[in-house]
Amino acid sequence: MKPFDKKQFGRFGGQYVSELLNPVLHEMEEGFIRFREDPDFIETLNRLRKTYLGRSTPLYHATRFSQVVGCKVYLKREDLVHGGAHKTNNTVAQVLLASAMGKKKIIAETGAGQHGVAVAMAGALFGMETKIFMGVKDIERQQPNVQRMKLCGAEVIPVESGSKTLKDAINEALRYWVGHSTDTFYVFGSVAGPYPFPMMVTEFQRVIGDEARKQILEAEGRLPDAVVACVGGGSNAIGIFKAFISDEKVRLIGVEAAGKGLDTSEHSASLTKGSIGVLHGAETYVLQNEYGQIQEAHSVAAGLDYPGVGPEHSFLKESGRAQYVAVTDDEALVAFYELSKLEGIIPAIESSHALAYVRKADFASSDVVIVNLSGRGDKDLSRNFS
């Protein structure tokens, strides 16, 4: 089978990395191409999705929330996936791939900690030695997830450099991987980064959209008017968007973190306020200054605290197929509390950004909107948001 085009998304994507990483990424690409169509791999992954992850996840009509926002809102309940977020869809598949390729150890980066927990769980499932790189700022604000990672046997490695958040955790993980690639597989958490990561993660997350498309047709007899998801690196959004991209009448809306406001420097809205540059091996929209230096991202949601975005999102923005907006920390927190009180569902602060957009958007009463509820908010309960 021929290799895929490293720039699948117009000018976006690519593999802008040190020469030392080229053979490592090539090995990963070959493994993915080989096993993605292997009957045993597919059978095992489908079994694990059902028996370990708990798929398929429900598409829930949030009736009380719908009454408040003025349109018909369905929640794709990725918060019910084992581990509490969509992240486990990708990690179980990648660690299965690592095992098939003969790797004995795995590493990963994490921001909000949900990807780290998902990797730790998959590492325990497959008996892999697991290291998780995490910025010290994120370790402090996501202690419940740090405890869960350690409980599953993972070593959490604090990252003190730079902004001490996700960007720097990725940098450290990539540096470590260069020297340990013989027996170690890097389980990347988003649809960002150098090729083939965006392609692989999309493949393993598109189950969200495939299920949601079938479920909404069963529930409503038609496709939704809009699909809404929060966007940091962008895996949960691409995961649900993918099944609807060819349906031009379905609006695809990605919601970024405006932080304290887009008129300040304290936000994470790469697509809304950024410009085209290179970050972590891919050409995409990034937050950068006039000299091309990457700027720090800021959000109340650790999982959205990233100064870039997956290259396919950049392509969808430029092509006009998807719309990208931003909501503030305060708006997200209002939605966080509101869904909890109205539906008894505590959303992750990340997912609350998508809910917040639906609260303030001008949808018609007849509109049907799917919101990807990408994770649950247990990890956020110990935080002081004042």
Side-chain angles (χ1 to χ4, degrees):
M1 186 179 293
K2 293 182 179 179
F4 292 89
D5 180 7
K6 290 182 174 60
K7 278 207 168 183
Q8 297 176 292
F9 315 115
R11 67 174 293 181
F12 301 107
Q15 199 179 77
Y16 300 93
V17 296
S18 162
E19 290 184 359
L20 295 173
L21 269 180
N22 283 330
V24 182
L25 292 169
H26 181 66
E27 179 192 18
M28 178 172 282
E29 177 192 19
E30 285 188 327
F32 176 68
I33 291 172
R34 175 185 173 189
F35 288 106
R36 70 193 292 262
E37 296 181 354
D38 179 82
D40 290 338
F41 181 89
I42 294 170
E43 180 183 358
T44 302
L45 179 57
N46 286 337
R47 174 174 53 80
L48 289 172
R49 281 173 171 169
K50 180 178 180 180
T51 61
Y52 189 75
L53 300 181
R55 304 208 69 91
S56 60
T57 59
L59 187 70
Y60 168 69
H61 178 204
T63 55
R64 297 190 69 210
F65 185 75
S66 296
Q67 291 170 2
V68 169
V69 302
C71 62
K72 200 167 191 178
V73 178
Y74 284 86
L75 305 178
K76 181 56 174 163
R77 296 292 307 278
E78 292 302 292
D79 59 310
L80 296 179
V81 175
H82 178 51
H86 69 291
K87 293 294 187 180
T88 331
N89 299 326
N90 171 51
T91 62
V92 166
Q94 282 201 47
V95 179
L96 175 62
L97 176 61
S99 179
M101 292 174 61
K103 303 298 182 181
K104 304 299 182 185
K105 303 176 182 179
I106 54 175
I107 61 169
E109 84 300 326
T110 194
Q114 286 298 140
H115 176 60
V117 170
V119 172
M121 288 177 168
L125 176 65
F126 287 92
M128 296 274 196
E129 180 182 315
T130 304
K131 296 180 185 293
I132 310 292
F133 293 82
M134 190 173 190
V136 293
K137 185 183 292 185
D138 290 334
I139 288 175
E140 181 180 346
R141 60 182 176 175
Q142 298 293 343
Q143 268 300 307
N145 275 345
V146 174
Q147 294 170 14
R148 294 166 78 197
M149 285 181 252
K150 291 180 178 179
L151 188 60
C152 291
E155 178 185 1
V156 179
I157 301 176
V159 176
E160 301 271 2
S161 59
S163 63
K164 304 175 184 179
T165 57
L166 180 59
K167 171 177 70 72
D168 307 288
I170 293 174
N171 289 337
E172 291 298 323
L174 286 170
R175 277 193 282 268
Y176 180 91
W177 195 30
V178 170
H180 300 82
S181 61
T182 302
D183 62 355
T184 301
F185 188 101
Y186 184 3
V187 184
F188 202 72
S190 193
V191 289
Y195 174 90
F197 285 124
M199 175 186 67
M200 287 176 50
V201 179
T202 296
E203 180 75 12
F204 296 142
Q205 289 290 6
R206 66 173 300 152
V207 64
I208 304 171
D210 291 341
E211 287 179 5
R213 194 177 196 280
K214 179 180 178 181
Q215 289 167 329
I216 197 66
L217 287 172
E218 291 175 350
E220 291 289 328
R222 68 178 182 91
L223 293 175
D225 296 285
V227 177
V228 184
C230 65
V231 176
S235 64
N236 92 89
I238 286 295
I240 197 165
F241 286 178
K242 204 68 177 175
F244 298 95
I245 286 177
S246 61
D247 302 302
E248 295 184 2
K249 292 184 178 180
V250 179
R251 294 172 59 195
L252 305 178
I253 303 170
V255 186
E256 297 187 291
K260 294 185 178 180
L262 293 178
D263 56 345
T264 74
S265 62
E266 296 188 350
H267 60 79
S268 299
S270 303
L271 289 161
T272 309
K273 297 289 284 187
S275 56
I276 297 172
V278 174
L279 177 63
H280 294 135
E283 186 169 10
T284 188
Y285 272 84
V286 300
L287 298 177
Q288 58 187 340
N289 64 20
E290 58 185 310
Y291 304 107
Q293 298 298 310
I294 301 300
Q295 297 179 307
E296 290 187 16
H298 299 272
S299 171
V300 70
L304 304 184
D305 223 351
Y306 183 61
V309 68
E312 188 167 6
H313 284 294
S314 294
F315 176 74
L316 292 174
K317 170 189 168 72
E318 291 242 320
S319 67
R321 180 60 191 94
Q323 172 189 2
Y324 294 90
V325 298
V327 303
T328 66
D329 291 347
D330 289 343
E331 290 171 327
L333 288 171
V334 169
F336 171 81
Y337 290 114
E338 187 169 64
L339 189 76
S340 301
K341 291 178 180 178
L342 290 174
E343 299 287 351
I345 297 171
I346 303 171
I349 295 296
E350 290 77 11
S351 311
S352 300
H353 284 70
L355 296 165
Y357 172 75
V358 175
R359 288 186 77 255
K360 69 177 186 177
D362 189 22
F363 287 113
S365 59
S366 59
D367 282 345
V368 173
V369 179
I370 297 177
V371 176
N372 195 20
L373 199 71
S374 56
R376 67 187 187 214
D378 305 44
K379 67 185 179 59
D380 299 308
L381 297 182
S382 62
R383 297 179 60 191
N384 179 8
F385 295 115
S386 60

